[in-house]
């Protein structure tokens, strides 16, 4: 079920007169997996939609380090929209959850923390193919 495929994680945040510091650690200390890869996304055109795919094996945590965006999550049947606008909160996304990131505020930097190295083979980028694969789980 879609609600079992994502959750919000809260990170430790330390603040003083100099500013703030948010700590993101792997291996169950916040991020519930061993971190293998980190990348970040920013858009040139605020109307851009990023993602539009599911990963077969990779677990992800998305954090808006700066700015805000929305994330639409789908399982082929249901959909949920999560707003990311707090740098101390991460969105955990399980394998096989379809995601679309959009509605980027100017200067948004979306940090993506991944459990696996990049491999194009584990991406499903076609929604019809994705729905077919998900239907097999439900039967
Ligand atoms: P893509 O997955 O389409 O980005 P988004 O989901 O943000 O729209 O990736 C864009 C390009 O970057 C694509 O050619 C694959 C490449 N890429 C890597 O080489 N390594 C990576 O870790 C990632 C995430 C993407």
């Amino acid at each position: 079920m879609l609600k079992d495929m994502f959750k919000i994680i809260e990170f430790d945040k330390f603040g003083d007169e100099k500013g703030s510091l948010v700590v993101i650690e792997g291996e169950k200390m916040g991020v519930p997996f061993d971190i293998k890869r980190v990348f970040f996304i920013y858009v040139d055109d605020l109307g851009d939609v990023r993602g539009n795919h599911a990963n077969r094996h990779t677990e992800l945590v998305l954090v808006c380090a700066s700015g805000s965006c929305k994330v639409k999550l789908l399982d082929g049947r249901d959909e949920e929209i999560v707003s990311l606008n707090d740098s101390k909160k991460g969105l955990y996304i399980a394998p096989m959850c379809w995601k679309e990131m959009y509605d980027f505020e100017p200067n948004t930097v979306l940090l993506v923390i991944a459990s696996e190295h990049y491999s194009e083979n584990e991406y499903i980028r076609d929604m019809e193919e994705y729905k077919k694969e998900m239907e097999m789980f439900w039967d």
Side-chain angles (χ1 to χ4, degrees):
M1 277 170 78
L2 183 60
K3 71 173 180 50
D4 301 320
M5 297 180 97
F6 69 93
K7 64 182 176 191
I8 297 291
I9 297 169
E10 189 126 359
F11 305 117
D12 285 335
K13 181 174 179 176
F14 301 92
D16 58 25
E17 66 286 351
K18 292 181 291 181
S20 299
L21 185 154
V22 176
V23 182
I24 301 175
E25 288 193 67
E27 295 186 77
K28 302 190 174 67
M29 290 178 66
V31 173
F33 51 77
D34 191 1
I35 297 167
K36 289 221 179 100
R37 179 168 53 114
V38 175
F39 58 97
F40 51 89
I41 293 171
Y42 47 91
V43 296
D44 295 331
D45 181 341
L46 297 177
D48 277 351
V49 179
R50 306 299 304 258
N52 270 317
H53 53 61
N55 296 81
R56 290 180 201 280
H57 309 298
T58 303
E59 297 174 84
L60 299 167
V61 172
L62 273 51
V63 186
C64 259
S66 166
S68 69
C69 72
K70 291 198 175 84
V71 186
K72 189 190 278 186
L73 300 155
L74 301 94
D75 67 357
R77 279 186 178 177
D78 299 313
E79 64 177 61
E80 290 267 354
I81 294 171
V82 174
S83 289
L84 283 181
N85 54 17
D86 181 346
S87 59
K88 69 177 188 305
K89 287 188 178 156
L91 172 63
Y92 169 84
I93 305 177
M96 288 306 286
C97 184
W98 187 277
K99 57 226 161 273
E100 299 171 10
M101 294 81 89
Y102 64 103
D103 219 357
F104 287 84
E105 205 178 44
N107 303 318
T108 292
V109 179
L110 180 64
L111 189 65
V112 183
I113 299 156
S115 66
E116 306 298 331
H117 294 295
Y118 177 71
S119 166
E120 185 58 36
N121 295 338
E122 65 116 17
Y123 278 69
I124 306 173
R125 294 185 183 271
D126 180 85
M127 177 50 98
E128 290 313 307
E129 184 191 334
Y130 172 71
K131 281 184 180 165
K132 256 189 226 156
E133 287 205 24
M134 291 304 281
E135 271 167 25
M136 288 193 286
F137 284 117
W138 295 321
D139 289 341

